[in-house]
Amino acid sequence: MAHRITLIPGDGIGPELAEATTRVLDATGIGFEWEPVEAGEAAIATHGTPLPDEVLESIRSPQVGLKGPITTPVGGGFRSVNVGLRQALGLYANLRPARSMVGVESRYEDIDLVIVRENTEDLYAGIEHMVGRDAAESIKIITREASERIARFAFEYAVNNGRHKVTAVHKANIMKLSDGLFLESCRTIAVDYDGRIEFEDRIVDNMCMQLVQKPDLYDVLVLPNLYGDIVSDLCAGLVGGLGVAPGANIGTEAAVFEPVHGSAPKYAGLDRANPTAMILSGALMLRHMGYPDEATRLETAVRDIIAEGTATTYDLGGSTGTAAFADAIVDRLTTASAAR
Ligand code: NAD
């Protein structure tokens, strides 16, 4: 029976990446029935809102969504659809693996980090207001419940994926109450994993320097929302850029898989953007759905094609287009299945 998956192509380069990714996922041989829905700029034109209810309804039923990037206006305009979607569906954990790839130029060759970012609160709770005309306040929300939940997710991920250490990242020396509570919650959960998974903490500014200088000292990082957003882009940069950085938003009821990068409007419709990040997000989706072998096969095909260097997109120094890169992966997957 085909798996029904909600597909949100998104804005900018999103639709062409979604087309490439669904084609590659179809070539794994697992049956999918894609249910496309509009969110973001496209949905404003058709539904008068960037996040129509039908998007949430659609994801709630198969409980799995694959999403392209969505543009968020800077300053004014509509509230981030990405944040709205994560909050409405309770997608509390944002998982962003950063792993070096042969053939992708970067400062280090053997990075293997996993960022676990809390996805529902912190400064992303969206509570801000003007105080008079010349001052603005944003309220940072940190709760014990959400902090313990994300810490447990990080430790469980470590246990289930053969990892050895979790590092909690914070600024509890300055934000003694909010970040202090996050750190305290991580320490509480760490006790349950004593003797199995090592635990330590780092102040976020020091963490950024350490990641640039000694990334091999770290394994799984757990962070509140804002630091998680920033540090995951830093880690994406360490392994060769946003074009190769996948992500997953996971909750108790539903999960939505999406690349770390945004809608890169200047490349929209040019068949130039790298679909690797969205394809690897699709591999995370396969693993989540209980297809670990197919996920590994897909990741290996992507890694092999990039390592061979014959079909790479502009950001990796090549000139292959989005669709042709996907063709190369599809060929590799179908040839491999024919040979089995
Ligand atoms: P961006 O990630 O869209 O682009 C930054 C640069 O990275 C691009 O100019 C391009 O050079 C490169 N890049 C990104 N993706 C690439 C790909 N697949 N292949 C090759 N190169 C790629 O970041 P931005 O310019 O800061 O944001 C653009 C829009 O995307 C904004 O509206 C932002 O809010 C939104 N955004 C959405 C998400 C999401 O949907 N989850 C995430 C981040 C940003």
Side-chain angles (χ1 to χ4, degrees):
M1 201 180 73
H3 294 279
R4 196 157 64 83
I5 308 280
T6 300
L7 177 69
I8 306 173
D11 299 317
I13 55 176
E16 51 205 291
L17 300 187
E19 195 279 330
T21 303
T22 49
R23 216 148 44 76
V24 166
L25 287 169
D26 286 338
T28 61
I30 302 167
F32 292 107
E33 191 188 314
W34 303 103
E35 186 170 295
V37 289
E38 278 180 345
E41 286 175 328
I44 293 186
T46 51
H47 295 73
T49 167
L51 183 54
D53 285 345
E54 68 176 45
V55 174
L56 301 175
E57 285 315 312
S58 169
I59 297 173
R60 280 190 183 116
S61 143
Q63 301 181 330
V64 182
L66 180 65
K67 177 185 162 295
I70 291 180
T71 299
T72 307
V74 175
F78 61 83
R79 190 165 171 241
S80 166
V81 171
N82 305 307
V83 174
L85 199 61
R86 292 165 193 165
Q87 289 176 347
L89 294 171
L91 306 174
Y92 70 89
N94 190 192
L95 184 70
R96 294 179 163 181
R99 207 171 140 207
S100 302
M101 288 177 131
V102 176
V104 177
E105 211 175 292
S106 59
R107 191 168 289 268
Y108 296 98
E109 282 170 3
D110 48 6
I111 288 183
D112 186 3
L113 292 162
V114 175
I115 315 299
V116 175
R117 165 189 172 194
E118 203 290 323
N119 230 0
T120 61
E121 53 182 29
D122 194 355
L123 284 160
Y124 287 64
I127 308 169
E128 47 174 18
H129 50 255
M130 295 301 296
V131 181
R133 278 188 39 194
D134 300 322
E137 278 182 356
S138 290
I139 297 183
K140 170 165 167 144
I141 308 282
I142 300 284
T143 65
R144 190 182 306 279
E145 187 189 1
S147 303
E148 288 192 357
R149 186 173 58 175
I150 197 67
R152 191 166 297 285
F153 182 96
F155 278 98
E156 282 298 310
Y157 181 90
V159 169
N160 294 327
N161 292 276
R163 299 284 177 154
H164 69 280
K165 180 165 77 172
V166 170
T167 305
V169 184
H170 59 87
K171 189 79 184 172
N173 52 330
I174 304 298
M175 279 157 282
K176 293 179 192 293
L177 296 183
S178 52
D179 282 21
L181 178 58
F182 179 80
L183 176 58
E184 184 190 316
S185 305
C186 292
R187 284 183 174 145
T188 303
I189 298 301
V191 173
D192 292 348
Y193 297 85
D194 200 19
R196 290 189 288 160
I197 304 290
E198 215 183 300
F199 175 71
E200 63 180 9
D201 70 277
R202 291 284 179 277
I203 292 174
V204 63
D205 37 351
N206 177 31
M207 184 79 244
C208 290
M209 186 194 69
Q210 298 256 329
L211 282 170
V212 171
Q213 290 194 326
K214 309 174 213 167
D216 51 308
L217 295 184
Y218 299 94
D219 189 10
V220 177
L221 310 182
V222 61
L223 311 90
N225 211 335
L226 178 62
Y227 309 146
D229 193 6
I230 297 168
V231 170
S232 53
D233 268 33
L234 188 155
C235 292
L238 284 177
V239 297
L242 288 168
V244 295
N249 301 288
I250 299 172
T252 45
E253 315 253 292
V256 174
F257 298 82
E258 63 174 339
V260 171
H261 63 72
S263 55
K266 72 178 174 194
Y267 292 113
L270 300 181
D271 189 40
R272 290 195 71 201
N274 188 352
T276 298
M278 191 157 173
I279 292 172
L280 293 179
S281 304
L284 293 176
M285 181 182 92
L286 297 187
R287 219 164 245 126
H288 174 82
M289 293 172 65
Y291 292 103
D293 296 343
E294 288 79 355
T296 303
R297 207 154 60 81
L298 173 53
E299 284 162 352
T300 306
V302 172
R303 287 179 164 269
D304 287 353
I305 299 276
I306 291 177
E308 288 158 19
T310 46
T312 49
T313 44
Y314 84 93
D315 54 314
L316 303 185
S319 56
T320 303
T322 310
F325 179 79
D327 291 343
I329 314 268
V330 168
D331 275 359
R332 187 60 56 98
L333 287 171
T334 41
T335 313
S337 354
R340 276 188 305 151

